Amino acid sequence: MKEVFKGVFRNGGFATIPLTMDSFFGEKIRDGKLRVWEPYRSKLCAAIARGLKTMPIKPGSSVLYLGAANGYTASFVSDLVGSKGGVYCVEISPIAMKDLLRVCEKRENMIPILADARKPESYERYVGGKVDVIFEDVADPDQAEIMLCNAKLLKKCGKGLIAVKARCIDSVEEPTKVYKEVERKFQTIFKILERIDLAPFEKDHLFIVLERK
Ligand SMILES: C[S@@+](CC[C@H](N)C(=O)[O-])C[C@H]1O[C@@H](n2cnc3c(N)ncnc32)[C@H](O)[C@@H]1O
């Protein structure tokens, strides 16, 4: 069993050490203590499987998570930041929020926020200062703009992680052209550290690691 990042283990698949043994996603527990993390269900796990080098989510990190859905990936982020970290989970759908709340009730470091990620001013008071990392997995044509408007909540040199879904931004354009345009927008306030194609786990998705200038 190899620890590829602090708290992320690789042995064929991927796993974390669970913060709590409560399970909401049918995850398997391996060797009695490791929680199996599926790259086909999580773009962050897919990025790790595809060779991510920079992992800014560490024990004690504060993470603003945009598009938390039912909390699957957010719960693994919660494992990684541990009891001294925090995961601020922004989700727009009240239906997804119902499931997310059940997860957050069992994980004290996950804070559910029912809000539109396009309006950071509506939730910045709950985030309590600037965060170490912004993670965005929001299927929206304005994905880049959402990261840019939330960047005011990111520390200087803080990291942005985004799963860009080409088909959602432009359903007909070549994905490479879509990614280029997204990257051009980021260059105003971010340095681009890494770009990872998520195939075969996700088609036409680019995972980008950013650093706030
Ligand atoms: C691809 S799913 C996220 C999956 C999740 N990150 C995971 O891996 O477990 C995208 C989520 O973004 C949410 N979403 C879409 N637009 C949003 C917005 N403007 N603000 C906040 N959440 C949004 C959707 O409701 C959906 O739950």
Side-chain angles (χ1 to χ4, degrees):
M1 182 76 53
K2 189 173 171 214
E3 190 172 24
V4 289
F5 295 113
K6 187 81 192 138
V8 182
F9 298 88
R10 176 177 212 153
N11 181 6
F14 293 90
T16 58
I17 298 173
L19 189 69
T20 155
M21 291 314 269
D22 296 289
S23 162
F24 295 95
F25 309 100
E27 327 77 302
K28 294 192 184 85
I29 297 292
R30 194 187 283 169
D31 303 335
K33 59 177 194 302
L34 288 173
R35 183 170 173 244
V36 174
W37 191 8
E38 302 283 352
Y40 283 98
R41 286 180 80 182
S42 166
K43 291 167 201 125
L44 178 56
C45 187
I48 295 170
R50 294 283 289 115
L52 180 73
K53 294 188 191 74
T54 318
M55 172 47 101
I57 302 172
K58 301 177 177 144
S61 299
S62 52
V63 180
L64 176 59
Y65 192 121
L66 307 175
N70 64 0
Y72 179 73
T73 300
S75 70
F76 287 91
V77 173
S78 150
D79 288 344
L80 299 184
V81 304
S83 53
K84 294 204 171 113
V87 191
Y88 300 91
C89 301
V90 178
E91 174 51 53
I92 200 169
S93 156
I95 296 168
M97 180 54 70
K98 250 173 106 175
D99 293 331
L100 180 63
L101 281 174
R102 290 166 56 231
V103 181
C104 295
E105 270 168 19
K106 297 290 180 187
R107 289 176 171 265
E108 286 187 1
N109 65 4
M110 282 177 73
I111 300 95
I113 301 173
L114 180 64
D116 183 345
R118 295 160 180 275
K119 297 176 183 157
E121 59 286 355
S122 70
Y123 50 81
E124 63 179 318
R125 65 185 180 280
Y126 304 119
V127 176
K130 296 196 177 192
V131 296
D132 299 306
V133 180
I134 297 180
F135 181 92
E136 183 188 334
D137 181 16
V138 168
D140 187 288
D142 294 329
Q143 274 187 293
E145 288 73 11
I146 289 176
M147 176 61 86
L148 288 167
C149 73
N150 278 273
K152 64 178 179 182
L153 302 179
L154 186 61
K155 288 178 186 169
K156 188 167 169 19
C157 297
K159 305 293 188 286
L161 305 175
I162 178 167
V164 178
K165 185 174 183 173
R167 294 293 171 213
C168 188
I169 295 172
D170 191 322
S171 57
V172 288
E173 189 57 277
E174 262 297 300
T176 47
K177 287 200 180 140
V178 176
Y179 301 147
K180 240 193 182 145
E181 177 57 14
V182 167
E183 288 179 29
R184 190 192 60 75
K185 289 178 184 169
F186 285 148
Q187 272 159 3
T188 52
I189 58 164
F190 287 112
K191 260 198 287 190
I192 295 175
L193 301 185
E194 276 189 69
R195 22 188 351 275
I196 299 170
D197 187 330
L198 294 185
F201 303 106
E202 297 281 353
K203 192 169 181 277
D204 298 333
H205 277 73
L206 186 71
F207 194 89
I208 307 180
V209 182
L210 304 160
E211 182 178 271
R212 182 84 166 92
K213 284 182 190 166

